[in-house]
């Protein structure tokens, strides 16, 4: 999706918290405990304190089933619990559900719920509450843009008894449990769904470690500790209520202002440290990083109309850009060049893709010669029958972040060296949407999508995932080989079969240059030394349940 | 501005009109007729801006519903649902009629993205923007007055210095001034908050930034007005009667310098509103500017047109006020109309 949602709606993944914490420590000097200049209080966690977190965007809606922005989920994770928690190796741990069974045809999931769980309004958690949340997610009136698409196979639920619910699917869906583990399917108080109606966005009521306190529009969202909380997720470092008294998210859109707020002690934690300011943060505070799973920032290529229908031209473009050098210089070594559309932090990422399509301008040149683009015009661009080799790449300026415009200009400059005219230009979002609908007026469209499940590949390239069908297949690619692997990936009950299928799809996309993966980003979080216990969930969201403040 | 020897005694003139007779006398009737005409004109301006906003949004390329939903996940069912809910399934003239009808009833509609009423959204944020705009404006006006009174017609060095400073301020972007102020007064010396600034403390840096962007123009215009007034015969006659320099400048010349300032105040509503957009973003302040930026980014049409209408109302109101103020500051106008 474009922009806020194009930045990537996040879903969770398979790296459990302890592993994520380990990854944090791999980046030197970024360790929460070791190597930091924290006072001598890093040993015993203490309760109390108010944490101020400055993040770049304001949520649109805190109803987890409706809000689709990253920041919606980031905040909702503290207010809402999920049925299951995603754990290492594609397994799932009990959370609000203590156990579950899957029917042999994989179309019915039966969950047993944890007793004694209370929503913030005092309503107890029961099977009817779970059904109310799922029905709300797929209710067209609720206008869920994202949660509904995650559980598109959901066909209804049966309340077996107060603590048992049977969820029915219209078709087998391997990513279903993973979808349930995300904040986007956090369980809401049924009383709140019934009574708050259209104002659910402003009045979220869940069962999580923090209770929604208030939302000062344009300024901040404040949450306070839920003193009754006794049902934390299994991989958390402690049990019982959260340690912080309160958690305030303020919205500071300017990168430099967020950074200044952190270094001057006005914010305890900030999101999205610009890659070039990482050294500043390391000098004064701590830098915590988590690699983001999902589809990396990828150039999707138009294989239906225009010059890129010729595979030789696509491969020439693929080999004409020195992505390694470009990523290093634009992102100051903080983001890594990616060889696969799946980021290395995604389950079933295929290591064999590494170095499989190195920079090779000579090869690019000969491929273009073979494709008949042998002429040259006055500006040095290649021509065929007097027509210049032009690739149109429009983007929406309001939705660019992370220096992507500079990065795009870098690609443009590299392609020019082999004679390809990449027309990288800002376009009105409405015009861009119309171009995407027709598919005839653009050759390249770029986006990333944070999601900790390999099914994101299916979402990008499956012929059943075109935009009109609710997917992200922007150029309506229809490829029988890919569809076969996606079919296996979605329906198999064998993790090994899914891994093999996803690996084959990743290699196939590179071999036929259907898309150009560029860089894999990391969540870069700046935190004051007094902040302890920040971990990341499988989607690279920071978690606050275990967090405590030292001196 | 032709020299008139009565200009240094405007109170007398004022008295003439005020005491022009009971209601119904020609002067008062003219005043009312003028006021009603101006009010009607304001209504036309507001309705005209609402129409212009509607047309501009209609002319934007692309399907508004699909743009709103973003490029992925557009199932036909969802598109149809949203199209129906937002009224885009009606032809454009019906939509225009509905829009204007709602507007006349004071209903600004429902935000597509934020799932809340536009009226409450705007009025929740309006106070914060007005607070910023008024403080910034008053600050700029006071400092510009002091600068103009003290430096107009003074030694070239002093005058030149003040004038250069004003020109530099007038050409600096507000964004840059804001970041500079934050860097020193918030990040380095920690005198004022950079985030979540509520209350007076949080208002200082944003309003100073806004004032600095206006100050250059204000002071330049005022000094020129002062200098023109100081060169007029009535100043000479006043000095000849033994008035001190301060009395001449503050009591006589300043009033003349205020006339173009009133015009400038009307103009500055636009500058204040557009300045607020930038300043609210840098200082993370709530307000109309931020609402507008996020609405434009997410194509939230009811919010965009709501902000346009509210801005048009503010613009008309202030311009009406300036026209009234003219008559207070410059009695010659009243005479011309009466």
């Amino acid at each position: 999706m474009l922009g806020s949602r194009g930045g990537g709606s996040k879903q969770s993944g398979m790296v459990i918290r302890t592993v994520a914490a380990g990854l944090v420590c791999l980046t030197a000097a970024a360790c929460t405990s070791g190597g930091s200049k924290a006072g001598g209080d890093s040993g015993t966690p203490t309760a109390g304190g108010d944490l101020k977190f400055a993040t770049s965007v304001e949520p649109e809606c805190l109803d987890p089933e409706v809000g689709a922005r990253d920041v919606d989920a980031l905040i909702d994770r503290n207010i809402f619990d999920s049925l299951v928690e995603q754990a290492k190796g594609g397994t799932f741990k009990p959370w609000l559900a203590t156990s579950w069974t899957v029917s042999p045809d994989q179309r019915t999931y039966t969950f047993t719920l944890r007793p004694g769980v209370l929503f913030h309004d005092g309503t107890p958690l029961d099977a009817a509450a779970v059904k109310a949340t799922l029905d709300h997610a797929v209710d067209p009136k609720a206008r869920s843009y994202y949660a509904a698409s995650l559980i598109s196979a959901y066909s209804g639920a049966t309340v077996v008894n107060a603590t048992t619910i049977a969820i029915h699917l219209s078709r087998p869906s391997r990513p279903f449990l993973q979808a349930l583990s995300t904040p986007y399917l956090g369980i809401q108080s049924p009383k709140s769904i019934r009574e708050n109606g259209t104002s659910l966005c402003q009045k979220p009521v869940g069962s999580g470690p923090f209770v929604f306190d208030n939302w000062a529009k344009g300024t901040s969202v404040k949450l306070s500790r839920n003193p009754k909380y006794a049902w934390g997720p299994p991989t958390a470092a402690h049990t019982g209520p959260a340690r912080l008294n309160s958690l305030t998210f303020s919205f500071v859109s300017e990168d430099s202002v967020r950074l200044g707020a952190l270094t001057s002690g006005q914010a305890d934690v900030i999101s999205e440290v610009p890659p070039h300011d990482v050294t500043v943060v390391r000098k004064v505070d701590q830098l915590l990083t988590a690699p983001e799973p999902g589809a990396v920032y990828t150039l999707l290529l138009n294989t239906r109309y225009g010059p890129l229908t010729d595979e030789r031209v696509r491969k020439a473009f693929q080999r004409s850009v020195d992505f390694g050098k470009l990523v290093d210089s634009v992102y100051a070594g903080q983001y890594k060049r990616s060889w696969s559309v799946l980021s290395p932090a995604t389950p079933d990422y295929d290591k064999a893709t590494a170095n499989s399509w190195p920079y090779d301008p000579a090869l690019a040149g000969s491929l273009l010669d073979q494709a008949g683009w042998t002429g040259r015009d006055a500006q040095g661009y290649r021509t065929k029958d007097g027509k210049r080799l032009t690739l149109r790449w429009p983007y929406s300026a309001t939705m660019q972040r992370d220096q992507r415009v500079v990065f795009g200009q870098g690609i443009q400059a590299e392609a020019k060296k082999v004679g390809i005219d990449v027309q990288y230009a800002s376009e009105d979002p409405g015009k861009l949407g119309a171009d995407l609908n027709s598919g005839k007026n653009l050759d390249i469209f770029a986006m990333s999508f944070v999601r900790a499940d390999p099914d994101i590949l299916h979402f990008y390239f499956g012929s059943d995932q075109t935009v009109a069908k609710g997917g992200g297949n922007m150029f309506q690619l229809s490829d029988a080989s890919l569809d076969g692997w996606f079919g296996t990936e979605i329906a198999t009950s064998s993790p090994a079969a899914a891994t093999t299928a996803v690996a084959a799809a990743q290699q196939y996309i590179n071999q036929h240059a259907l898309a150009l993966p560029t860089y894999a980003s990391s969540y870069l979080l700046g935190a004051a030394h007094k902040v302890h216990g920040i971990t990341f969930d499988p989607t690279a969201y920071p978690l606050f349940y275990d967090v405590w403040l030292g001196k | 501005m032709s020299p008139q020897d009565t200009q240094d005694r405007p109170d007398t003139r004022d008295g003439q009109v005020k005491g022009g007779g009971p209601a119904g006398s020609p002067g008062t009737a003219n005043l009312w007729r003028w006021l009603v005409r101006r009010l009607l004109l304001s209504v036309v301006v507001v309705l005209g801006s609402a129409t212009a906003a509607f047309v501009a949004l209609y002319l934007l390329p692309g399907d508004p519903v699909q743009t709103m939903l973003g490029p992925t996940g557009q199932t036909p069912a969802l598109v149809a649902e949203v199209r129906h809910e937002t009224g885009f399934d009606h032809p454009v003239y019906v939509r225009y009629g509905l829009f204007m009808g709602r507007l006349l009833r004071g209903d600004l509609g429902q935000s597509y993205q934020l799932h809340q009423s536009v009226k409450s959204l705007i009025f929740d944020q309006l106070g914060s923007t007005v607070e910023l705009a008024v403080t910034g404006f008053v600050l700029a006006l006071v400092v510009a007055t002091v600068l103009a009174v003290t430096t107009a017609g003074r030694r070239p060095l002093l005058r030149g210095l003040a004038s250069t400073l004003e020109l530099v301020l007038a050409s600096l972007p507000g964004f840059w001034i804001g970041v500079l102020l934050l860097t020193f007064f918030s990040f380095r010396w920690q005198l004022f908050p950079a985030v979540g600034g509520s209350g007076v403390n949080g208002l200082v840096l944003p309003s100073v930034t806004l004032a600095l962007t206006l100050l250059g123009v204000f002071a330049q215009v005022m000094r020129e007005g002062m200098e023109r007034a100081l060169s007029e015969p009535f100043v000479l006659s006043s000095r000849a009667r033994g008035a001190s320099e301060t009395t001449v400048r503050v009591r006589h010349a300043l009033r003349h310098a205020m006339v173009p300032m009133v015009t400038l105040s009307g103009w500055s509503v636009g500058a204040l509103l557009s300045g607020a957009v930038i300043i609210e973003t840098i200082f993370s302040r709530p307000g109309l500017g931020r609402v507008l930026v996020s609405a434009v980014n997410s194509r939230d049409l009811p919010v965009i047109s709501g902000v346009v209408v509210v801005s048009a109302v503010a613009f008309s109101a202030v311009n009406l006020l300036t026209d009234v103020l003219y008559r207070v500051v410059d009695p010659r106008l009243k005479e011309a109309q009466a």
Side-chain angles (χ1 to χ4, degrees):
Chain A
M1 301 183 205
L2 282 177
S4 51
R5 277 182 278 137
S9 298
K10 296 196 178 192
Q11 256 191 287
S12 48
M14 298 203 176
V15 191
I16 59 166
R17 287 195 180 98
T18 46
V19 170
L23 288 170
V24 165
C25 289
L26 286 177
T27 57
C31 249
T32 328
S33 41
S36 74
K37 281 176 272 172
D41 57 354
S42 48
T44 346
T46 47
D50 305 286
L51 187 89
K52 296 189 289 280
F53 182 18
T55 179
S56 63
V57 280
E58 180 163 16
E60 279 181 343
C61 173
L62 290 177
D63 174 341
E65 277 73 40
V66 174
R69 287 190 166 195
D70 290 357
V71 66
D72 297 341
L74 175 75
I75 295 174
D76 278 339
R77 182 74 294 171
N78 301 287
I79 307 171
F80 296 92
D81 295 326
S82 295
L83 287 178
V84 295
E85 190 192 24
Q86 193 172 13
K88 198 181 179 179
T91 57
F92 295 87
K93 296 203 169 193
W95 190 355
L96 290 185
T98 50
S99 65
W100 61 90
T101 57
V102 184
S103 68
D105 69 354
Q106 296 192 67
R107 288 174 54 190
T108 304
Y109 285 67
T110 308
F111 292 91
T112 307
L113 303 175
R114 182 174 188 139
V117 175
L118 292 178
F119 290 105
H120 301 149
D121 59 4
T123 317
L125 169 84
D126 57 12
V130 175
K131 180 175 161 56
T133 292
L134 295 177
D135 287 346
H136 172 64
V138 298
D139 181 1
K141 293 229 164 27
R143 292 244 308 268
S144 159
Y145 295 142
Y146 188 53
S149 74
L150 285 176
I151 54 164
S152 56
Y154 175 75
S155 63
T158 316
V159 174
V160 179
N161 59 46
T163 57
T164 312
I165 182 165
I167 298 173
H168 310 292
L169 304 183
S170 57
R171 55 177 190 272
S173 172
R174 186 198 50 77
F176 184 64
L177 277 181
Q178 197 274 334
L180 288 183
S181 75
T182 66
Y184 297 107
L185 286 155
I187 307 299
Q188 303 200 45
S189 157
K191 182 166 168 256
S192 166
I193 294 179
R194 211 167 42 237
E195 291 172 6
N196 287 332
T198 53
S199 62
L200 272 180
C201 282
Q202 347 285 340
K203 284 184 204 161
V205 182
S207 62
F210 291 91
V211 181
F212 174 78
D213 194 333
N214 73 74
W215 182 350
K217 281 285 159 66
T219 314
S220 61
V221 165
K222 192 179 177 209
L223 313 179
S224 49
R225 170 165 50 196
N226 174 5
K228 294 182 187 147
Y229 196 66
W231 42 87
T235 60
H238 81 295
T239 54
R243 288 159 174 160
L244 296 168
N245 279 338
S246 75
L247 188 53
T248 304
F249 298 86
S250 49
F251 317 120
V252 182
S253 53
E254 278 304 307
D255 288 345
S256 58
V257 177
R258 268 199 321 280
L259 189 66
L262 176 71
T263 54
S264 63
Q266 299 180 58
D268 304 314
V269 180
I270 60 166
S271 71
E272 293 138 277
V273 175
H276 280 275
D277 292 324
V278 154
T279 43
V280 180
V281 172
R282 284 219 176 106
K283 223 176 276 168
V284 191
D285 298 284
Q286 336 170 47
L287 180 82
L288 309 178
T289 69
E292 291 180 330
V296 301
Y297 185 58
T298 299
L299 273 57
L300 300 169
L301 306 182
N302 190 345
T303 50
R304 287 176 75 217
Y305 301 103
L308 292 177
T309 47
D310 186 335
E311 184 171 323
R312 290 169 297 192
V313 179
R314 294 202 301 272
K315 291 183 100 157
F317 182 37
Q318 182 191 46
R319 298 304 186 95
S320 69
V321 182
D322 189 348
F323 280 109
K325 220 165 101 191
L326 187 61
V327 172
D328 266 356
S329 75
V330 176
Y331 297 108
Q334 288 305 308
Y335 297 163
K336 299 283 173 248
R337 185 254 167 92
S338 183
W339 297 96
S340 168
V341 173
L342 285 189
S343 108
T346 324
D348 297 337
Y349 158 73
D350 182 28
K351 285 197 187 79
T353 53
N355 298 310
S356 60
W357 46 282
Y359 174 54
D360 192 344
L363 176 65
S366 65
L367 283 167
L368 290 176
D369 287 339
Q370 284 168 36
W373 293 95
T374 45
R376 293 275 183 169
D377 66 11
Q379 278 95 48
Y381 292 112
R382 285 175 181 265
T383 57
K384 182 157 97 177
D385 309 328
K387 239 189 98 202
R388 182 190 281 188
L389 177 50
T390 299
L391 301 181
R392 216 175 148 266
W393 177 8
Y395 66 92
S396 172
T398 54
M399 291 158 179
Q400 295 302 306
R401 57 191 176 96
D402 256 2
Q403 305 193 59
R404 281 181 179 171
V405 174
V406 178
F407 188 70
Q409 287 162 350
I411 292 175
Q412 188 178 33
E414 292 273 282
K416 185 179 179 179
K417 289 184 199 159
V418 300
I420 303 175
D421 180 15
V422 175
Q423 294 187 349
Y424 181 66
S426 168
E427 191 168 277
D428 173 86
K431 171 85 165 51
L432 184 53
D435 287 346
L436 280 168
N437 274 346
S438 75
K440 286 180 188 167
N441 197 24
L442 76 172
D443 303 292
I444 305 166
F445 180 77
M447 65 177 187
S448 67
F449 209 114
V450 178
R451 180 161 166 182
D453 193 287
D455 193 48
I456 187 68
L457 216 54
H458 174 213
F459 179 82
Y460 265 45
F461 300 104
S463 64
D464 59 343
Q465 295 291 321
T466 57
V467 173
K469 287 174 182 156
N473 182 351
M474 312 307 292
F475 290 114
Q476 300 178 34
L477 180 72
S478 176
D479 185 294
S481 307
L482 285 176
D483 283 344
W485 290 312
F486 295 144
T488 310
E489 173 261 312
I490 197 105
T492 184
S493 56
S494 145
T499 305
T500 313
V502 171
Q506 288 171 74
Q507 292 176 10
Y508 185 89
I509 290 163
N510 287 341
Q511 277 156 17
H512 298 276
L514 298 173
L516 306 189
T518 63
Y519 67 87
S521 53
S522 284
Y523 195 98
L524 303 177
L525 190 91
H529 286 300
K530 66 172 182 177
V531 181
H532 302 272
I534 291 188
T535 52
F536 292 91
D537 79 354
T539 343
Y541 286 134
L543 296 167
F544 295 98
Y545 172 54
D546 286 332
V547 170
W548 56 282
L549 297 175
K551 283 184 197 101
Chain B
M1 220 181 272
S2 64
Q4 291 176 15
D5 62 347
T6 46
Q7 279 304 299
D8 60 333
R9 297 197 309 278
D11 290 353
T12 326
R13 287 289 180 120
D14 234 11
Q16 271 180 13
V17 177
K18 265 185 202 151
S25 77
T28 319
N30 277 335
L31 181 68
W32 280 112
R33 202 178 306 150
W34 171 82
L35 203 62
V36 168
R37 206 169 52 224
R38 283 294 281 105
L39 273 172
L40 282 175
L41 203 65
S42 300
V43 172
V44 171
V45 167
V46 171
L47 294 181
S49 338
T51 306
F54 183 90
V55 171
L57 294 174
Y58 172 72
L59 289 178
L60 280 178
D63 175 354
V65 172
Q66 292 188 337
T67 308
M68 219 185 303
L69 289 173
T72 61
Q74 300 180 0
T75 57
L78 181 64
V79 172
E81 168 73 26
V82 174
R83 196 181 302 283
H84 177 70
E85 198 170 321
T86 52
F88 276 106
D89 48 353
H90 297 302
V92 62
Y93 56 89
V94 176
R95 294 207 309 267
Y96 178 71
L98 289 173
F99 169 70
M100 291 309 264
R102 274 202 308 267
L103 191 63
L104 291 174
R105 290 196 306 274
D107 177 6
L108 295 175
Q110 194 79 10
S111 159
Y112 297 156
Q113 303 287 353
L114 301 171
H115 309 264
Q116 107 184 76
S117 119
V118 173
K119 209 200 255 168
S120 77
L121 183 72
I122 288 180
F123 284 95
D124 282 354
Q125 306 287 311
L126 189 60
S128 172
T129 300
V130 168
E131 185 183 70
L132 173 66
V134 169
T135 320
F137 176 78
V138 169
L139 209 59
L141 191 65
V142 168
V143 177
T145 309
V146 171
L147 273 177
V149 169
T150 51
T151 66
R154 298 282 193 194
R155 274 169 298 147
L157 185 69
L158 180 70
R159 189 191 175 284
L161 236 126
S163 182
T164 310
L165 177 76
E166 289 153 19
L167 276 177
V168 169
L169 282 176
S171 22
L172 283 179
F175 179 86
W176 192 79
I177 298 177
V179 172
L180 200 70
L181 290 179
L182 270 177
T183 305
F184 287 100
F185 293 95
S186 181
F187 303 153
R188 189 162 298 176
W189 299 317
Q190 309 206 12
L191 297 170
F192 302 103
V195 179
S198 51
V200 177
N201 230 14
L203 188 60
V204 174
L205 291 183
S207 54
V208 168
T209 308
L210 189 56
L212 286 178
T213 57
L214 293 174
L215 178 63
V217 182
F218 278 21
Q220 291 273 324
V221 170
M222 248 175 137
R223 182 180 304 101
E224 201 184 315
M226 281 287 287
E227 285 172 350
R228 203 182 304 147
L230 285 174
S231 67
E232 293 200 23
F234 72 83
V235 168
L236 194 64
S237 89
S238 157
R239 282 196 173 125
R241 285 195 303 270
S244 74
E245 184 63 23
T246 315
T247 312
V248 168
R249 281 173 181 258
V250 178
R251 284 208 36 215
H252 304 302
L254 185 59
R255 187 150 183 177
H256 282 256
M258 288 309 281
V259 175
M261 275 311 296
V262 173
T263 318
L264 211 54
S265 306
W267 160 83
S268 68
V269 181
L272 286 164
L273 279 175
S274 59
V277 172
I278 292 162
I279 286 162
E280 283 167 5
T281 307
I282 305 172
F283 290 94
S284 315
R285 274 179 68 83
L288 276 195
R290 268 187 126 188
V291 169
L292 184 62
V293 170
S294 64
V296 169
N297 284 348
S298 59
R299 279 290 174 94
D300 203 337
L301 309 187
V303 177
I304 300 175
S305 40
V307 174
V308 168
V309 168
V310 169
S311 309
V313 170
F315 206 88
S316 307
V318 170
N319 277 289
L320 185 63
L321 197 71
T322 45
D323 283 2
V324 173
L325 268 178
Y326 264 131
R327 302 163 73 93
V328 176
V329 177
D330 191 350
R332 286 165 302 179
L333 270 180
K334 269 183 273 185
E335 195 172 55
Q337 297 241 345

